[in-house]
């Protein structure tokens, strides 16, 4: 089945530094990837839609200069949290949509990255 | 934007019990999916069910698109069913999934 690999699974960084999170579709091509963040005991909130070869589309209220998204190939999207602050600490999850769709709707999620900013 | 509400927010069951989780949505949707998020955060796709009924083992789901709700049935619950259950919808050609508030399930042995 479709697999999405997300790295790192956990990261602790100092306030003011930047952190890059990678999301790879291992066995399918994903023209579209999605980035979510999830605070403890809350739902997933869509941050942005990442399209291969074009600029990401950000949801209202998400700072595009703080959360840099790059989708340079059909199998890789990256999210960089720039100048991280403690309030950016969260669980970040990527999702890739198989452009073939499929019986399960075509969405596969990565295992998430738990970011802690100290 | 579309509103997706789930009930109940929390549910505690004894192992072996049955349960029904509900997802209401405020507008017509192209797609509805149910997910299980395990304690480690991994989301598992349970059903792709924009309409109709599907079954997979002890789980089944029904979506009544005209009345804008979906139900997830869990029968003979097991401790491994614990976690958070989300429904998610997309309503246009953007394929963006909007998640509901979730139901947190705890199954006790």
């Amino acid at each position: 089945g479709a697999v999405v690999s997300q790295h790192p699974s956990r990261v602790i960084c100092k306030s003011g530094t930047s952190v890059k999170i990678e999301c790879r579709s291992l066995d399918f091509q994903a023209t579209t990837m999605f980035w979510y963040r999830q605070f403890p005991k809350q739902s997933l909130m869509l941050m942005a839609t990442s399209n291969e070869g074009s600029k990401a589309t950000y949801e209202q209220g998400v700072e595009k200069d703080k959360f840099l998204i790059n989708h340079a190939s059909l199998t890789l999207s990256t999210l960089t949290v720039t100048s991280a602050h403690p309030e950016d600490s969260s669980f970040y999850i990527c999702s890739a949509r198989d452009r073939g769709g499929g019986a399960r709707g075509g969405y596969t999620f990565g295992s998430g990255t738990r970011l802690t900013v100290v | 934007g579309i509103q997706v509400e789930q009930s109940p927010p929390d549910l505690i069951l004894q192992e072996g019990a049955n349960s029904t989780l509900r997802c209401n949505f405020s507008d017509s949707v192209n797609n509805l999916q149910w997910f299980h998020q395990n304690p480690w955060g991994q989301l598992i796709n349970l059903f792709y069910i924009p309409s109709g009924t599907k079954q997979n083992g002890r789980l089944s789901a029904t979506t009544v698109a005209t009345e804008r709700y979906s139900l997830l049935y869990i029968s003979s619950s097991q401790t491994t069913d614990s976690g958070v259950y989300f429904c998610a919808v997309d309503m246009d050609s953007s394929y963006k999934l909007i998640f509901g508030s979730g139901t947190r399930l705890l199954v006790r042995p």
Side-chain angles (χ1 to χ4, degrees):
Chain A
V3 177
V4 170
S5 174
Q6 185 174 342
H7 291 282
S9 57
R10 289 178 179 272
V11 58
I12 301 173
C13 71
K14 290 186 177 180
S15 189
T17 61
S18 296
V19 173
K20 180 185 283 189
I21 303 169
E22 290 191 350
C23 180
R24 293 180 184 273
S25 57
L26 296 186
D27 49 3
F28 66 98
Q29 293 183 330
T31 53
T32 306
M33 290 187 176
F34 304 91
W35 288 94
Y36 294 83
R37 70 187 294 183
Q38 184 180 29
F39 291 108
K41 297 193 177 183
Q42 293 190 22
S43 185
L44 280 73
M45 183 191 79
L46 179 64
M47 299 175 66
T49 302
S50 167
N51 296 296
E52 186 265 337
S54 64
K55 289 184 179 180
T57 304
Y58 290 81
E59 295 300 303
Q60 192 172 6
V62 177
E63 300 175 59
K64 62 178 69 174
D65 294 331
K66 179 164 191 64
F67 299 100
L68 300 179
I69 292 172
N70 184 279
H71 193 159
S73 76
L74 284 172
T75 59
L76 174 64
S77 177
T78 60
L79 167 68
T80 301
V81 182
T82 62
S83 187
H85 290 284
E87 57 265 30
D88 299 322
S89 298
S90 188
F91 191 58
Y92 293 87
I93 307 174
C94 71
S95 168
R97 185 177 182 276
D98 185 340
R99 60 182 181 176
R104 288 187 173 272
Y107 297 91
T108 303
F109 284 77
S111 53
T113 298
R114 192 164 303 281
L115 170 64
T116 303
V117 185
V118 298
Chain B
I2 191 169
Q3 303 297 315
V4 185
E5 296 179 354
Q6 292 184 240
S7 59
D10 296 280
L11 185 59
I12 300 175
L13 298 175
Q14 205 64 34
E15 196 169 29
N18 303 327
S19 63
T20 301
L21 282 56
R22 187 177 179 103
C23 172
N24 292 330
F25 43 97
S26 61
D27 207 340
S28 300
V29 298
N30 289 333
N31 174 16
L32 186 144
Q33 300 195 232
W34 283 96
F35 294 91
H36 175 223
Q37 187 173 37
N38 67 23
W40 297 272
Q42 178 71 58
L43 278 161
I44 307 299
N45 194 328
L46 298 176
F47 292 103
Y48 165 64
I49 187 164
S51 64
T53 297
K54 291 185 178 179
Q55 181 159 5
N56 184 2
R58 296 181 297 102
L59 303 181
S60 64
T62 295
T63 297
V64 183
T66 52
E67 297 187 23
R68 299 181 184 169
Y69 73 88
S70 183
L71 303 174
L72 177 70
Y73 305 96
I74 304 175
S75 64
S76 303
S77 58
Q78 301 176 357
T79 56
T80 51
D81 295 332
S82 297
V84 185
Y85 290 81
F86 291 105
C87 68
V89 303
D90 83 65
M91 54 183 293
D92 56 31
S93 58
S94 69
Y95 301 113
K96 295 191 293 186
L97 278 181
I98 305 302
F99 280 75
S101 47
T103 292
R104 188 172 301 272
L105 174 65
L106 174 63
V107 181
R108 290 180 169 158

